[in-house]
């Protein structure tokens, strides 16, 4: 069955990753274009493909960061959702890893990171994007993606359950892997 759900005010919305909850509901993360900018988007469907209006009030949750998108979504053991992608950071004038946590009802979890999100930079003057989010058995969050766009380095970050960088991982929670062969991590 093919389902199309319009989210933003433009028509270029797309999903990048999907997961199935234990209750059979399907969550799709991606990007919606709203008010002239991209926004991280999540939609939750019932097992029959209908939109679950109990999620975000209309089945949809938007994260309206500047030029943001989600490329991956993961489900924590408590039912909260962790989305990873990228957002333009005006402080450094570059794209950084974006990690946002949502409550099971589709609202942003403001107890996570800084007002529900973490923007993580690996190097200056470089665009970076998170490609995959994984939840460990202890609910720590591992995010993998592309570090420095000008070198093709890979980047890994581990966050504690509250969104803070986990200093027990690579001393500061961040690890950059040199890519002498070039190329980027992509998502399917």
């Amino acid at each position: 069955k093919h389902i199309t759900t319009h989210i933003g005010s433009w028509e270029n919305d797309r999903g990048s990753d999907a997961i199935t909850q234990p209750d059979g509901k399907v969550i799709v993360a991606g990007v919606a274009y709203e008010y002239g900018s991209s926004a991280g988007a999540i939609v939750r469907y019932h097992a029959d493909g209908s939109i679950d209006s109990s999620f975000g009030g209309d089945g949809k949750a938007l994260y309206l960061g500047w030029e943001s998108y989600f490329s991956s979504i993961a489900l924590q053991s408590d039912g909260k959702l962790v989305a990873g992608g990228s957002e333009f950071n005006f402080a450094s004038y570059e794209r950084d890893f974006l990690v946002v946590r949502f409550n099971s009802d589709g609202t942003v979890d403001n107890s996570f990171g800084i007002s529900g999100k973490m923007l993580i930079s690996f190097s200056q003057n470089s665009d970076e994007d998170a490609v995959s989010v994984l939840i460990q058995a202890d609910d720590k969050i591992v995010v993998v993606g592309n570090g420095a766009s000008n070198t093709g380095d890979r980047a890994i970050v581990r966050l504690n359950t509250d969104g803070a960088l986990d200093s027990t991982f690579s001393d500061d929670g961040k690890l950059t892997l040199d890519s002498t062969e070039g190329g980027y991590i992509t998502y399917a």
Side-chain angles (χ1 to χ4, degrees):
K1 183 176 183 179
H2 176 79
I3 298 170
T4 301
T5 304
H6 185 65
I7 302 169
S9 58
W10 296 1
E11 299 205 8
N12 296 331
D13 308 333
R14 71 177 186 278
S16 299
D17 193 20
I19 58 172
T20 303
Q21 295 183 166
D23 63 3
K25 292 181 181 180
V26 176
I27 298 169
V28 177
V31 63
Y33 292 91
E34 188 75 17
Y35 308 114
S37 178
S38 61
I42 300 174
V43 180
R44 187 165 73 187
Y45 300 93
H46 291 288
D48 66 2
S50 62
I51 290 183
D52 178 5
S53 61
S54 69
F55 183 79
D58 62 356
K60 307 166 194 170
L62 285 178
Y63 169 76
L64 297 173
W66 184 254
E67 292 295 321
S68 61
Y69 64 84
F70 296 139
S71 53
S72 184
I73 187 96
L75 181 67
Q76 291 187 169
S77 62
D78 61 2
K80 292 183 179 185
L81 300 164
V82 180
S86 183
E87 179 177 338
F88 187 79
N89 184 345
F90 276 104
S92 58
Y93 213 71
E94 63 193 18
R95 297 190 70 78
D96 290 332
F97 269 38
L98 169 67
V99 182
V100 181
R101 187 164 71 189
F102 292 85
N103 295 307
S104 59
D105 66 358
T107 59
V108 173
D109 178 4
N110 288 318
S111 70
F112 180 81
I114 300 169
S115 300
K117 77 169 185 178
M118 286 295 290
L119 270 181
I120 303 151
S121 178
F122 289 86
S123 63
Q124 294 298 317
N125 303 315
S126 167
D127 287 332
E128 302 150 353
D129 64 310
V131 175
S132 186
V133 176
L134 306 166
I135 307 297
Q136 294 183 172
D138 61 0
D139 277 337
K140 289 188 178 185
I141 301 160
V142 177
V143 185
V144 179
N146 298 303
S149 60
N150 56 341
T151 63
D153 289 347
R154 309 307 191 268
I156 302 170
V157 64
R158 187 164 72 186
L159 304 175
N160 293 315
T161 57
D162 65 356
L165 289 166
D166 179 3
S167 63
T168 66
F169 177 77
S170 188
D171 294 326
D172 64 356
K174 302 186 295 186
L175 177 65
T176 302
L177 303 172
D178 182 26
S179 175
T180 57
E181 297 179 23
Y184 292 93
I185 299 171
T186 60
Y187 54 90

